Amino acid sequence: MLRENKERTEGTLIRDRGRPGRRGFTLPKLDVPETKVGDILPASQRRTEKPDLPEVDEPTVVRHYTNLSRRNWGIDTNFYPLGSCTMKHNPRVNEAAAQVPGFAGLHPMQPQAQSQGALRVMYELQGFLSEVSGLAAVSLAPLAGAQGELTSILMVKRYFEDVGDTGRTTVLVPETAHGTNPATASMAGFEAEEIGLDEHGCVDVDELREKVDGTTAALMITNPNTGGVYERNIHEISEILHDAGAFLYMDGANMNANMGRMKASDAGVDIMHFNLHKTFSTPHGGGGPGCGAIACTDTLAPFRPDPVAAKGGDKYSLEKPDKSIGRMTSFFGNFGVILKAWNYIKLHGPDLRDVTDMAVLNANYVRARLRDTYRVPYDELCKHEVVVQPPKGKKALEIAKGLLDHGFHPPTIYFPLVVKEAMLIEPTETESKETLDDFVEALLQLADTDDEDLAESPTTAPTRRLDEARAARKLKARW
Amino acid sequence: MARFTPHTEEDIREMLDTVGVETLDDLFADVPTKFEGALDLPPALSEHEALTDVHKAAAENRSGMPLFIGAGAYDRIVPSAVGSMMQRGEYLTAYTPYQPEVSQGGLQVIFEFQSMISELTGLEVSNASVYDGATAVAEAALMTARLAKRDAKVAVSAGLNPRYRQVIETYRVETVELPFENGATDFSAVPDDVSGVFVQSPNYLGVVEDIEAASGAAHENGALAVAVCDPTALAVLEAPGALGADIAVGEAQPLGMPLLFGGPYAGYMATTGKNVRQLPGRICGETVDEDGRLAYVLTLRAREQDIRRAKANSNICTNQALTALAATVYTALMGPEGLREVAELSVSKAHYLADRLQEKGVSLRYPEAPYLFEFAVELEDVDKTNAALLENGIVGGLDTGDGAMLIAVTEKRTKEELDKFAEVVANA
């Protein structure tokens, strides 16, 4: 990292870099007679106190946010093998695509005749996702993976209301599920009930058989699961659910392991969500924006959110499915993300399978290289990610902080919850063998280092370890 | 081979050997439902070909013309520095800041974003953003139920953006309708069993509403007052926190985000200090590192889904960090004076256009009601008028579907455009 002027960078807020009267932008001059806000509104409605906002010039703004960016790691700067997050390279052509004025300047409420290009992109992406999943119908409305889950489970709820089956009160989630799964079930008005695992870390089919009954609405399964293992009993699982009149929902966070190798429809999945920001590499942006598009069978298609893109003759339109759960967003979804995913798929076509193959090869390579030193709870073929545990007596947290000093972003740690000291490593397909070898060497070296010697880590990152308890105890969330 | 994967045939061979399998197919031996064919997708394109297609699709849209639609998304001037900061790879390609030591940049941006939202709304705490305006409104509705300890049922009026109301309902919150007369909501008869009272100001039809009256009515009935506000308007309107609102939410798109056919934008949410534990989503707080240096971290995490699972405030996981960055850089560049100027320019231009239209015999739908930069006019055939405008290279206002056109005027519009708009509408 380049040397920073510490006095002027560390923690200094943009507000504190200015001085009253400085301006960072010039607006066009008023070219019509002035109407004063004071002539329209009574004093009680007008702002009396000037908001305490920065008064800074453009050079200061650019330097401030550029220097802040250098205190942030991204895929562009470091290997970032965060499990279940699919931190792959973000092709820059997608950024170029989202800046094309014909899209960037398009208002969502313009008449549909004026937005045919955008509607075509949506319609085509719906088709692409339908092909990748094997499922008949798609909605691009959900604004993030968690909202894709909510959309799906609300659709399941509405389906049962529609057929008059009022006793479906429970949604099952495996112990390895992302926290969003049980939270989604609650939000959609169901009880979330946990299902245990077998020795492969997969859903315990016997337990499932016992728990599924007329009160079950759905099982939310992640496949491959968050231990990186393919749910080998997926057929049996879907049969158990379908026999009981319930649905199989698939959390598609891990679709990077499936493209061109497995179709959700073949596995008996009724409805699933994609994370376009993961699998199709529309960047994560430091925590959003995303797109949690969903795909479903014909049975559930009428319940999709309002609206979906449709085509009649050579005209594209937005339509409300006839039994729609309603709107999930202000407009039609995160179109910029949709556009990038559409473009990403067009760059790959059927070669999406190579993406999956290389992602799975990379994860298995890391597993094979670590297995003699780290414990691998499910030491069998993994898919696009692998969960490992540090050698006995060592803490995942210490290794994670030690990795920072090797220049690697740590894997996801302490997740899945069922694996003690879990380190969930997802290399993705865009990393070279050399990067993986360096990463493995760092992990092997850290396995050999006493935790006490890592207690000081990180020493080379922008900060040392933080007092997280203090942040909550003495909440200060604004200037 | 796909283009963003570095492996050569040799790499692949060596790695398969290390794994102990023969072929790539063997890596999927455990998949019982293997898909054997090729995906039926159009053949892979080169970057140049793909980008050519993007431009072709973009040309099938009608844009690049003066635009008079608002209705929740506004055609405002975006300083160049905003986009250039968003393209910094360190922001663009990072994940949620779970490792705060190497995420200080993104975390500080969020802290600054929260501070700016707090300043604009006059409320003590803001979260790190939610998906968009509509979901901010829906999350606020759910939040009122937790705070009021009542069933999720909220009072709204025709002044609330109808799409916001639809999302509230999708989120399984009941709505009851308050009377709406002469462009404003009548808060005199709020039912006593609602958890929240919503007031949008300026409302969907552009009229400045009485947030104080809404707050009073909510509190009398043991409910919370939720103000839905355009952040640009807050540069000139009294802060909702100062008018008694318990929660302020809205769409941050006007703060530096391109229209981009409806997203990505960012929703904002702010509330009083005592309600902070019922906020959904991420909150960034200040702390220190081991050397005592100031630093930032995600905090009050026990509200969230990855910790509390089924009992979390919401299932929301990601916020809108990148678009929140846009809002932060935009607001920094504008400053308090610039933001006020954006609002004032828009107000003057909107009123100029309304005056020109009235001179030509077009009536405002609510001639007595105060408005800032959006207003509705009565028109017999909005479609026909919009077609005439389009012929003249102008994208007209929104057809409300009941004989009115909702017109938004931003600082981008010039006198020449406004005069032409009035001329064409009068002659249509």
Side-chain angles (χ1 to χ4, degrees):
Chain A
M1 178 156 349
L2 296 171
R3 179 180 291 274
E4 294 175 5
N5 179 333
K6 296 275 180 196
E7 286 294 300
R8 282 249 159 263
T9 53
E10 250 165 35
T12 305
L13 297 165
I14 187 68
R15 181 197 58 168
D16 301 326
R17 291 180 187 281
R19 157 162 217 180
R22 282 197 188 138
R23 294 286 294 271
F25 192 68
T26 316
L27 290 156
K29 289 222 171 3
L30 184 62
D31 58 356
V32 299
E34 186 180 7
T35 300
K36 287 191 187 313
V37 176
D39 297 338
I40 311 169
L41 293 175
S44 62
Q45 294 266 37
R46 298 199 304 268
R47 185 173 274 269
T48 45
E49 214 172 298
K50 187 164 109 172
D52 183 11
L53 297 173
E55 296 188 58
V56 284
D57 52 284
E58 180 181 312
T60 300
V61 170
V62 169
R63 187 170 295 162
H64 176 76
Y65 291 105
T66 301
N67 280 327
L68 278 186
S69 79
R70 289 162 56 201
R71 294 163 65 77
N72 226 41
W73 284 10
I75 320 160
D76 281 2
T77 60
N78 299 75
F79 179 43
Y80 215 122
L82 206 54
S84 274
C85 300
T86 313
M87 298 298 283
K88 59 169 81 178
H89 171 71
N90 303 125
R92 286 315 195 269
V93 61
N94 293 337
E95 298 306 311
Q99 287 164 22
V100 170
F103 288 117
L106 190 63
H107 195 287
M109 299 305 281
Q110 278 179 246
Q112 292 175 13
Q114 297 177 24
S115 53
Q116 287 294 300
L119 297 180
R120 173 161 77 83
V121 167
M122 291 174 69
Y123 182 80
E124 288 180 3
L125 181 60
Q126 288 173 188
F128 295 165
L129 296 180
S130 182
E131 170 61 17
V132 170
S133 62
L135 292 164
V138 169
S139 161
L140 305 173
L143 299 169
Q147 217 201 14
E149 295 178 29
L150 181 61
T151 302
S152 302
I153 300 303
L154 286 171
M155 286 167 62
V156 165
K157 178 122 189 141
R158 191 59 56 87
Y159 168 86
F160 285 121
E161 284 168 5
D162 185 61
V163 297
D165 187 347
T166 54
R168 306 274 174 178
T169 52
T170 306
V171 165
L172 303 171
V173 291
E175 286 175 350
T176 42
H178 299 114
T180 47
N181 289 177
T184 293
S186 296
M187 220 169 155
F190 290 105
E191 292 287 328
E193 190 180 346
E194 283 205 344
I195 289 282
L197 309 175
D198 67 14
E199 69 275 19
H200 302 286
C202 294
V203 168
D204 185 328
V205 176
D206 294 332
E207 190 181 328
L208 183 71
R209 199 172 277 117
E210 274 169 35
K211 285 194 171 158
V212 170
D213 58 23
T215 67
T216 309
L219 168 70
M220 299 179 82
I221 199 168
T222 305
N223 190 30
N225 62 37
T226 60
V229 180
Y230 196 88
E231 290 283 346
R232 65 204 62 214
N233 301 313
I234 190 91
H235 259 320
E236 208 174 339
I237 289 168
S238 65
E239 273 170 27
I240 293 169
L241 289 157
H242 293 161
D243 287 349
F247 290 104
L248 180 60
Y249 163 82
M250 190 176 103
D251 180 321
N254 294 341
M255 273 306 282
N256 214 38
N258 293 337
M259 291 188 292
R261 287 291 185 178
M262 172 283 230
K263 285 194 174 185
S265 57
D266 293 337
V269 169
D270 300 289
I271 184 164
M272 65 168 290
H273 88 266
F274 291 88
N275 294 91
L276 300 190
H277 46 288
K278 295 178 181 176
T279 314
F280 302 108
S281 193
T282 71
H284 288 73
C291 172
I294 62 117
C296 64
T297 58
D298 280 326
T299 308
L300 288 169
F303 302 93
R304 283 174 298 160
D306 176 25
V308 294
K311 187 180 183 187
D314 57 355
K315 291 270 177 276
Y316 298 90
S317 60
L318 289 167
E319 307 291 341
K320 180 177 182 175
D322 58 355
K323 293 174 178 176
S324 173
I325 57 168
R327 298 191 70 91
M328 294 299 291
T329 72
S330 294
F331 299 104
F332 328 120
N334 279 337
F335 181 77
V337 179
I338 289 165
L339 179 63
K340 291 176 192 183
W342 174 77
N343 196 53
Y344 179 87
I345 293 175
K346 289 178 64 194
L347 290 170
H348 289 84
D351 299 348
L352 282 176
R353 196 181 81 168
D354 297 335
V355 168
T356 284
D357 285 2
M358 294 304 107
V360 172
L361 176 64
N362 278 0
N364 276 287
Y365 179 73
V366 169
R367 178 179 61 86
R369 289 219 49 203
L370 288 176
R371 60 187 297 191
D372 293 336
T373 311
Y374 282 72
R375 292 173 288 159
V376 183
Y378 314 117
D379 193 10
E380 49 199 294
L381 278 178
C382 63
K383 293 278 90 54
H384 67 308
E385 61 188 350
V386 59
V387 61
V388 304
Q389 298 166 289
K392 279 219 160 40
K394 288 189 61 68
K395 297 244 169 275
L397 181 70
E398 303 304 318
I399 291 179
K401 299 303 180 191
L403 272 172
L404 294 172
D405 284 332
H406 286 267
F408 295 115
H409 194 284
T412 298
I413 53 172
Y414 300 104
F415 184 82
L417 304 174
V418 291
V419 176
K420 290 211 165 33
E421 300 297 328
M423 303 178 69
L424 183 61
I425 304 169
E426 181 181 1
T428 83
E429 73 282 3
T430 60
E431 299 298 333
S432 68
K433 180 170 177 296
E434 291 83 349
T435 301
L436 301 183
D437 284 336
D438 291 347
F439 175 67
V440 166
E441 290 305 326
L443 277 175
L444 296 179
Q445 195 184 320
L446 289 165
D448 225 13
T449 311
D450 286 340
D451 273 1
E452 295 81 73
D453 294 332
L454 294 173
E456 297 289 304
S457 296
T459 58
T460 58
T463 68
R464 304 283 307 283
R465 289 194 207 187
L466 304 185
D467 187 348
E468 301 197 14
R470 174 187 158 128
R473 205 173 54 241
K474 299 182 182 173
L475 180 70
K476 186 173 189 313
R478 59 173 295 189
W479 59 53
Chain B
M1 190 52 56
R3 72 198 66 197
F4 307 110
T5 53
H7 297 337
T8 63
E9 289 302 323
E10 243 180 341
D11 289 325
I12 293 171
R13 184 73 265 141
E14 288 167 22
M15 292 170 81
L16 287 172
D17 286 348
T18 306
V19 175
V21 298
E22 288 287 315
T23 66
L24 290 169
D25 283 347
D26 294 343
L27 293 170
F28 297 87
D30 57 334
V31 177
T33 54
K34 219 166 351 189
F35 172 66
E36 305 278 4
L39 287 172
D40 183 14
L41 294 169
L45 298 181
S46 70
E47 168 164 334
H48 175 73
E49 292 164 318
L51 207 47
T52 304
D53 261 14
V54 171
H55 282 278
K56 186 165 165 273
E60 293 160 16
N61 299 323
R62 298 294 302 269
S63 69
M65 292 176 278
L67 178 73
F68 288 84
I69 308 181
Y74 296 88
D75 182 27
R76 298 208 171 278
I77 295 171
V78 181
S80 304
V82 173
S84 115
M85 289 298 103
M86 286 174 84
Q87 285 302 312
R88 290 285 304 188
E90 299 91 331
Y91 295 126
L92 184 71
T93 73
Y95 198 72
T96 301
Y98 290 133
Q99 295 290 337
E101 297 90 340
V102 292
S103 310
Q104 284 302 302
L107 282 161
Q108 186 173 329
V109 169
I110 292 297
F111 185 88
E112 294 183 352
F113 171 80
Q114 290 173 179
S115 303
M116 291 168 174
I117 294 298
S118 286
E119 285 295 331
L120 286 171
T121 56
L123 287 161
E124 285 144 5
V125 288
S126 150
N127 69 11
S129 79
V130 291
Y131 309 134
D132 71 355
T135 58
V137 165
E139 286 280 6
L142 292 169
M143 188 174 158
T144 62
R146 293 194 293 275
L147 284 164
K149 298 192 169 62
R150 289 181 179 174
D151 288 343
K153 181 175 171 183
V154 297
V156 301
S157 81
L160 181 67
N161 182 325
R163 294 182 302 280
Y164 293 180
R165 179 174 180 172
Q166 287 162 14
V167 177
I168 290 180
E169 288 167 353
T170 309
Y171 272 54
R172 306 179 61 250
V173 177
E174 195 184 330
T175 58
V176 289
E177 177 129 357
L178 297 171
F180 185 74
E181 279 155 29
N182 300 321
T185 308
D186 175 2
F187 293 100
S188 64
V190 168
D192 59 10
D193 62 342
V194 295
S195 57
V197 177
F198 277 75
V199 51
Q200 181 174 341
S201 180
N203 67 27
Y204 189 63
L205 297 156
V207 174
V208 178
E209 292 251 20
D210 190 346
I211 294 178
E212 211 160 15
S215 304
H219 297 156
E220 259 173 45
N221 289 288
L224 286 99
V226 184
V228 183
C229 301
D230 176 318
T232 310
L234 289 179
V236 293
L237 292 182
E238 182 58 291
L243 297 170
D246 302 287
I247 301 169
V249 290
E251 178 61 73
Q253 179 274 336
L255 305 177
M257 288 159 227
L259 289 169
L260 204 53
F261 203 49
Y265 300 162
Y268 76 80
M269 284 190 89
T271 189
T272 55
K274 67 179 189 328
N275 296 337
V276 63
R277 281 174 202 280
Q278 292 304 332
L279 264 181
R282 313 279 187 205
I283 298 172
C284 170
E286 188 183 289
T287 189
V288 291
D289 77 355
E290 284 177 340
D291 294 340
R293 292 179 299 187
L294 186 64
Y296 301 94
V297 68
L298 295 180
T299 193
L300 301 182
R301 300 269 290 115
R303 303 164 297 111
E304 292 190 53
Q305 47 76 27
D306 48 336
I307 315 271
R308 290 200 75 196
R309 298 178 78 83
K311 292 188 166 54
N313 283 352
S314 165
N315 74 339
I316 191 168
C317 181
T318 61
N319 53 304
Q320 297 288 105
L322 194 68
T323 37
L325 168 72
T328 308
V329 176
Y330 173 91
T331 308
L333 287 165
M334 291 297 172
E337 299 301 333
L339 210 54
R340 190 173 50 76
E341 213 178 304
V342 169
E344 287 175 349
L345 282 168
S346 306
V347 166
S348 291
K349 288 170 190 259
H351 284 256
Y352 173 78
L353 178 61
D355 290 348
R356 293 291 80 71
L357 287 166
Q358 284 173 291
E359 280 168 17
K360 293 177 189 296
V362 177
S363 0
L364 299 191
R365 174 152 280 195
Y366 308 114
E368 303 303 321
Y371 65 94
L372 295 180
F373 35 72
E374 196 159 12
F375 57 93
V377 297
E378 303 279 349
L379 284 178
E380 263 179 34
D381 191 341
V382 178
D383 249 5
K384 189 173 146 230
T385 307
N386 270 336
L389 284 164
L390 192 64
E391 263 174 44
N392 284 275
I394 292 172
V395 177
L398 182 79
D399 186 348
T400 60
D402 61 352
M405 182 193 277
L406 183 60
I407 299 168
V409 184
T410 69
E411 75 283 8
K412 249 189 183 175
R413 300 288 74 87
T414 63
K415 178 172 181 295
E416 198 187 340
E417 292 165 5
L418 301 173
D419 288 338
K420 187 159 182 193
F421 184 98
E423 188 67 42
V424 176
V425 171
N427 295 327

